[in-house]
Amino acid sequence: MSGSQSRGSGVNRRLPSGRLSRNPTRTVGRSRPITHNDAYSYALRVAYLAYLLQPRVRRTQHVPAPQQPHRSSSSINDLMKDFSLVRDSKSTRLPHNFLSELEKRLTGVLTGKERRPEYNDPVVKRTFAVFYNAFTEKNFRSSVDKSRRVEDLVLIFVSHATKELRKDKPAGDDSYKLMVDRHVALFVRLISSTLKDHGWVSDRAELANRLATLESKLLVHDQNLTDPTQQGGGGTTVEVIVPLSYDVKDMPLVKTVARVFGLTNTMVQSDIDKNKSIWTEKATVADLKAYSNNLNLNTKRTLNSDDFDLQEAFETWKKAEIADISQIMWSIVQSNPELAKSTPSRNLPQLSPQPNGSGSHDSIYLEMSRRLSEPSAENNPYILDQPVDMSGLNINDSISDLSGNGADATYTFIPPDPRTWYRFILQQAITHDMRDKPSDTDAPSTNLLSKQSRDLLSELCLRWRIPSFSQTVLFLDVVREKYMDQELDLDTLDAAFSFVKEAPENTKSTHSTHHPPSSLTDTSKWTITDFALNRQILSSIHDTLLRDLYEALQHCYEQRPPSIGPVMYILENHIYSDPLFSKSPEELERYSIQLGEGLRARAQDIYREYLHKEVPLVQDEWEFYHIIQLGKAVINVNPFNCLVETVLPLFEEDSKDMIIGILAVSESKGVEVGIQDGFDLYKELVEIRRIHGEALPNVPFQFNIEDRLVDFVWHWIHITDSKVSDLVDEAIKQDNFAVRTSNPQVGPSDEERHSVSVIDIFQLFNQTIDRIVTLNWDDELQSAKFMTALARTIGSGIARYCEIVEGKFAKEMDRLTPEQEAATSQTRQERWVQIAKDAWNNKEKIEPFQFFPESFVKLNNIEFATYRLDLLEKNIKVDKCAEVVQKHAPPLNQRQRKVNNYIFTIKIVEAEDLKACDINGLSDPYVVLGDEYQKRLAKTRIIYSSLNPRWDETVDIKAQGPLNIIATVWDWDTLGDHDCVGRTSIKLDPSHFSDYMPREYWLDLDTQGRLLLRVSMEGERDDIQFYFGKAFRTLKRTERDMTRQITDKLSSYIHHCLSRNALKSLLSTGITMSSVSSLFSRNRPQLAAPAVTQTQIISALTPLFTYFDDNFAIMQMTLTSTAMRLVMTRLWKEVLVTIESLLVPPLSDKPSQQKQLTQQELDIVFKWLQLLFDFFHAVDEETGEVRGVAIDVLKSPKYHDIQSLNFFYFETTENLIRTSERMASATASRQQQQRNRLSAPGSLGGGPPFGGAASLLGTTSTRRSKSIMLSRNLGTMRKAKEEKRKEAQADPNDDMILRILRMRPEAAGYLRDRSRQKERLAAAAAAEMIVKQSMMSGGGRMVAMTNLPRR
């Protein structure tokens, strides 16, 4: 309908010039300019028309029902009197437990849980609440429980309901009585429902019938209890239409017109009152019929075929327009039935009846409004909310009846040129809404139109028949004008483009015409005027944006340059992406060339300005900060590509000279440059180097940044290394070693059973690593060396943590028990008396050790530290760092020689035949290692009541050359000084361990007995794998020592239960008087030992199992599952050692005084072993789940050695000697083959050596036991353990045979010969090793000793 006003004659059009030169249509009245008052008048008419055509508001009115007759107040009593006449029998009394069920139903009513709807009324709940209070009263409840009569309940309910409902009623008002009857009926129904739900009706049919009769008599005229409207006696409601007020305050669009045009409501009300006789629904029907007539006649008062480029587009538009007009006319006629009187009924289409049968005019209008708001299938281009197709409405026959000749008629509501008038009002609305935007907000004016203005404009488009694409183009035209006048910013311009591009959403509003549908993208359906104007708008906005872009780029070198992002965004997303935009690529290329030339012309001058501004002229004043600031100034210029090829090379040369100068000046002044300054400079330079590589890929960076700044990283690493011990100490100091739990009722999980100190130190380690990682150091060798140094720092921190935690743990574990504390105050005689009393009372019950929870937390911390260290090792990629260092390492013959540090690992294994120092004929030995200057190096734990103790404790000792070690065995005493059991010494010389193989030494004490030490050496290496391996070994050794201290508290009872005395006690249980008397009869034959049953064998271990269970229960409260398995595994090892010592003596070259067990005793011991095996394996009988130690751990090499005793224990001495010689020969042959393959010599046997010369030289092993490099992570440790297990199974030895032979006096000579043989073979192996090393080194013996090979 819009006129094709030509606004872009100079625009490149897509149509032939002949079509574009035609005069536009619909130019009637366009010669007169639009005035403010005229625009206001037509806008007011449409707004007022919308008020007239709105659906009529309805309201409901209540019409009371006729007054119902009232019952007298005595009716309830009469009813209950009739009810009381029923004979008193079981069928009329309430069941037992009925009152409890009734109370539950009453509670459901009060809480809203009752499923029946009639009980949800608030008044009903209030009445029932009053009764509930009386019902739960103790005296009344007991009375009803006794009588179980229903009339008691009903009468008390009537009493309380009457009292409650009569409140606040005036005197003489009896209306509440019907409400009382209703509530009593609800109560009777609740009683009946309760009886029915619980199946009590069948036994009490008479009671149920009486209740139903009472309920029906209480209701008035079959009142429905579920209908709340009948609570007060009934009534109905009717709907009435609210008449129009014709007041401006009830006209939303009229008020919007007043605001937009700056008028008061009074002025607008006056204009409406003057013209409301003209601005009628009849007038709008006349306008529509005239418009339809003009459309059919193809006049210039509507859009015609000349306004469209394609005839098909015009026909599509016309068809949809006719349907819309028919739809609108129908809705107007139906909203005002009076209009139908002037229109023949045969010409009005008939709507199908409503589903509900309603034929009211308002309901029909509402249905039409709903249909008008729904999008049609054809996507009508005039309004977003499309009307449904009403092509059945034919208005051609009725045009002449209402308006005569429509071609010459004047419209009442449609202006002469709707397109121009709409643009005027649109501009007026945008101006008003921008002016009235709240001043307290800083957000851009992205929403140009308020909701009220959008509603008004949508109504104008609907009544003036302005197509949607015309609305969009006119909206952009107004936005273009305001942007060019600098009334809008870029954000608002972007929001305007996004506004017109958004697809319409399904909305119930009939006037959201400013959201164009998706069909708007098809510009072939547009009018010629809209097409040309849209191209002109895009071109005009594009030229303006390019001017803004050029001006912004001229300021890009300022400290705060303007951003070009919004301009570029609009160009890319709204201008260039629009297919209607027509700008040749040549024009855009010329613009780019001019812009680049202008920027490059100033590039060098701008850099010099930055240089003079950021860098002092005097060299002594230079700092790294100046380079950073200069770099930031360079990389922040925009656009960057125009400057990098000029600025970057200059900056790189200057920054290199400045770094050299700054470091030289600081060194001459003795002042250090800040480490953080160096790190900040590195990050800045690396970023510039990255940009340099992207912008100038063929031009190398001027200098190596890493080489210039690497000293800052090393300085920071050295400072961190010096502080790590203090930080670890502080973390431990702040820790109370308590379990952390979020839910005390459930108990802590495994993740909560460690304390905060271990978390803190690993946070420290991770932060230390991250500090280097975040630098993104671009030199892999230097980065790998950084990580190696940090690994050393982490290792020292872990060693410090283990040292302190283990010390605290040892103090807690070495505390005296209450019995020991009491014994300290006793005299020697009192202690003897106490020992005698305990023996007389056969005191076998040993209480479990009272472990501190914080002790177990410390063990959990060590286990958690091992896990976190393994994660850290994986994150650092230790193996990759080692490969990088190895790849860049120089050849062996070119490496600089330096003094090597060596780590000697000494394992204090056991001692035998020690001197007895206590009155009980035993000792409580422990070992102290010291150097020749009497400095203590290590101390073992105490083994109580033993002359053949076994410690199995390990210590590391650093050395750079030969070192003399003195080992002293002491006897611990509760009172007084400790006694010296004996001393011995050993010289640790690196030349004796150049093959890095472990050796064992039996060292004779200066008193009696001897001590077994296992010694190995490892060269300390500046290697990341070595440092991590050392840290892992420290953690595992600490974990093992702490676990052993826990199990030591239980070992004494294990020895007690698995001793020869326990065997004798078990065998003595079957001795009778006859068997005893037979011992004194020389003539009678000796009877066999009495048989011991399986029950007796199990009973003998029951105290031990109970003792284990008691201690395990204490441990499981704090220990993690992993730590618990460690403790159980250690206890299993203690069990195996105890059983082994019960069967055979330790390995030695001397005969033993220990006697062999009998067959019966041996059987008992192996049954004990099987019972203990099952106990530690702990398989659930129902699920089959293993809850204890894994079976592969239980079946250790020692377990298999003990099992092998079954084959040799009762063999003859000759057979044992032959078997031993055969196994020794096979072992020697295998080792000789291995020595031929390896550069280092092999060992002479799998077992430990004997005394004599071998004690001085030691015997090597073919396997490096517990090497640091094999312990660098959990994976290598598990792999090494598995290899050890396989080796032990694949390489059997004759150790157990030799230990059996020690109990055979006739084998003393063979043991002595085997000892000498091993001494000779050990000496030969050592000599062979020295010769081979000398030959491999290419020199003499001194070369081999000073340049030891490193594994």
Side-chain angles (χ1 to χ4, degrees), residues 436-455:
D436 289 356
K437 176 179 177 288
S439 59
D440 57 346
T441 177
D442 297 331
S445 303
T446 55
N447 194 0
L448 294 177
L449 292 170
S450 63
K451 181 180 182 303
Q452 295 80 4
S453 298
R454 292 198 301 271
D455 292 342

Side-chain angles (χ1 to χ4, degrees), residues 1246-1265:
F1250 299 99
S1255 64
L1256 300 177
L1257 183 61
T1259 302
T1260 61
S1261 172
T1262 59
R1263 184 178 182 276
R1264 295 185 60 188
S1265 176

Side-chain angles (χ1 to χ4, degrees), residues 15-227:
L15 302 175
S17 58
R19 286 292 302 272
L20 293 178
S21 63
R22 286 201 301 261
N23 293 329
T25 61
R26 296 184 65 195
T27 58
V28 179
R30 203 177 56 181
S31 59
R32 182 171 63 87
I34 301 174
T35 64
H36 185 274
N37 290 334
D38 291 340
Y40 156 72
S41 175
Y42 275 99
L44 180 62
R45 299 178 192 189
V46 173
Y48 176 68
L49 178 62
Y51 172 72
L52 294 178
L53 299 179
Q54 68 181 352
R56 297 293 186 265
V57 179
R58 295 175 180 270
R59 65 187 178 194
T60 59
Q61 290 185 351
H62 182 72
V63 179
Q67 186 69 26
Q68 301 291 341
H70 294 282
R71 267 193 308 102
S72 64
S73 59
S74 62
S75 59
I76 292 293
N77 295 327
D78 295 339
L79 290 173
M80 294 312 300
K81 184 182 298 182
D82 297 339
F83 195 89
S84 301
L85 294 177
V86 179
R87 59 185 177 88
D88 191 5
S89 64
K90 176 182 178 182
S91 62
T92 60
R93 299 173 70 90
L94 295 172
H96 292 288
N97 299 327
F98 174 80
L99 297 182
S100 300
E101 298 301 329
L102 179 62
E103 184 178 358
K104 294 178 182 178
R105 294 294 295 271
L106 290 172
T107 304
V109 171
L110 299 180
T111 57
K113 296 181 180 179
E114 178 60 40
R115 62 184 180 275
R116 294 177 177 271
E118 57 264 29
Y119 295 98
N120 294 328
D121 182 59
V123 181
V124 173
K125 291 182 179 181
R126 190 181 69 192
T127 306
F128 274 61
V130 174
F131 169 73
Y132 182 81
N133 292 332
F135 177 75
T136 54
E137 201 272 332
K138 186 176 181 181
N139 293 333
F140 175 76
R141 183 67 174 269
S142 60
S143 175
V144 177
D145 277 335
K146 185 176 181 181
S147 64
R148 295 192 285 124
R149 294 191 305 172
V150 70
E151 51 266 33
D152 296 340
L153 293 175
V154 175
L155 289 175
I156 196 66
F157 184 89
V158 171
S159 174
H160 287 85
T162 303
K163 186 185 302 182
E164 180 64 25
L165 296 174
R166 192 168 51 192
K167 287 182 179 179
D168 303 327
K169 297 291 183 182
D173 186 1
D174 296 336
S175 61
Y176 68 90
K177 293 183 178 180
L178 287 177
M179 187 68 71
V180 171
D181 293 348
R182 170 182 170 81
H183 289 194
V184 175
L186 286 172
F187 179 68
V188 172
R189 177 174 293 185
L190 188 67
I191 295 175
S192 301
S193 176
T194 305
L195 290 171
K196 182 178 179 182
D197 291 346
H198 291 81
W200 289 323
V201 176
S202 59
D203 296 338
R204 292 168 172 78
E206 188 174 353
L207 175 61
N209 293 333
R210 292 294 180 178
L211 288 172
T213 303
L214 177 60
E215 178 185 342
S216 62
K217 291 181 178 181
L218 286 169
L219 299 179
V220 179
H221 300 290
D222 296 328
Q223 185 179 2
N224 185 5
L225 293 178
T226 63
D227 187 359

Side-chain angles (χ1 to χ4, degrees), residues 1092-1300:
V1092 180
T1093 64
Q1094 182 70 16
T1095 303
Q1096 292 173 328
I1097 295 174
I1098 296 175
S1099 299
L1101 290 185
T1102 300
L1104 179 61
F1105 292 152
T1106 304
Y1107 184 65
F1108 281 154
D1109 289 336
D1110 292 343
N1111 285 278
F1112 289 167
I1114 297 174
M1115 296 176 188
Q1116 286 178 340
M1117 296 174 63
T1118 309
L1119 285 179
T1120 63
S1121 57
T1122 303
M1124 189 66 196
R1125 285 193 294 271
L1126 288 173
V1127 173
M1128 295 180 67
T1129 302
R1130 179 65 194 180
L1131 276 176
W1132 172 246
K1133 291 180 180 179
E1134 189 70 26
V1135 167
L1136 292 180
V1137 170
T1138 304
I1139 290 180
E1140 183 185 44
S1141 64
L1142 188 63
L1143 295 173
V1144 291
L1147 189 63
S1148 177
D1149 60 339
K1150 299 178 181 179
S1152 174
Q1153 299 299 321
Q1154 183 173 334
K1155 301 299 182 181
Q1156 248 182 278
L1157 299 179
T1158 64
Q1159 182 64 54
Q1160 186 178 19
E1161 291 173 334
L1162 184 67
D1163 293 341
I1164 293 174
V1165 170
F1166 275 99
K1167 288 180 180 179
W1168 282 353
L1169 179 62
Q1170 185 60 42
L1171 290 172
L1172 288 165
F1173 182 93
D1174 296 338
F1175 176 82
F1176 278 91
H1177 194 34
V1179 178
D1180 193 322
E1181 296 180 356
E1182 296 180 357
T1183 63
E1185 178 185 0
V1186 177
R1187 297 183 177 179
V1189 184
I1191 193 168
D1192 58 333
V1193 177
L1194 293 175
K1195 292 186 177 181
S1196 61
K1198 186 175 289 295
Y1199 175 81
H1200 288 291
D1201 288 342
I1202 294 174
Q1203 291 288 349
S1204 67
L1205 288 175
N1206 264 325
F1207 300 100
F1208 306 112
Y1209 203 73
F1210 294 107
E1211 284 286 331
T1212 62
T1213 302
E1214 291 78 7
N1215 290 339
L1216 290 177
I1217 292 175
R1218 282 195 298 269
T1219 304
S1220 175
E1221 289 175 343
R1222 185 171 60 255
M1223 296 177 69
S1225 176
T1227 301
S1229 176
R1230 285 194 303 271
Q1231 293 175 353
Q1232 181 62 38
Q1233 293 175 3
Q1234 189 171 8
R1235 284 200 302 271
N1236 295 334
R1237 293 195 307 266
L1238 302 176
S1239 59
S1243 68
L1244 301 179
F1250 299 99
S1255 64
L1256 300 177
L1257 183 61
T1259 302
T1260 61
S1261 172
T1262 59
R1263 184 178 182 276
R1264 295 185 60 188
S1265 176
K1266 299 184 185 297
S1267 167
I1268 291 179
M1269 296 302 292
L1270 296 178
S1271 305
R1272 61 181 182 270
N1273 57 45
L1274 292 179
T1276 59
M1277 294 169 70
R1278 284 191 293 266
K1279 183 178 179 181
K1281 185 178 293 186
E1282 185 63 26
E1283 289 178 355
K1284 180 181 177 182
R1285 183 186 304 275
K1286 292 180 179 179
E1287 180 181 333
Q1289 295 175 356
D1291 188 17
N1293 54 62
D1294 60 342
D1295 286 355
M1296 283 299 175
I1297 295 177
L1298 294 176
R1299 295 172 72 172
I1300 295 173

Side-chain angles (χ1 to χ4, degrees), residues 1015-1027:
V1015 183
S1016 63
M1017 185 191 74
E1018 186 136 10
E1020 189 171 20
R1021 304 165 53 180
D1022 188 19
D1023 182 271
I1024 188 171
Q1025 292 177 329
F1026 176 85
Y1027 292 129

Side-chain angles (χ1 to χ4, degrees), residues 11 33 84 92 306 465-466 477 727 778 1046 1319:
V11 178
S84 301
T92 60
D306 292 338
R465 310 310 303 151
I466 298 178
D477 190 35
L727 294 174
D778 197 16
I1046 293 175
E1319 290 174 8

Side-chain angles (χ1 to χ4, degrees), residues 1074-1087:
S1074 60
S1075 62
V1076 173
S1077 61
S1078 65
L1079 296 175
F1080 299 96
S1081 176
R1082 297 182 179 180
N1083 298 325
R1084 295 183 181 179
Q1086 296 292 330
L1087 299 176

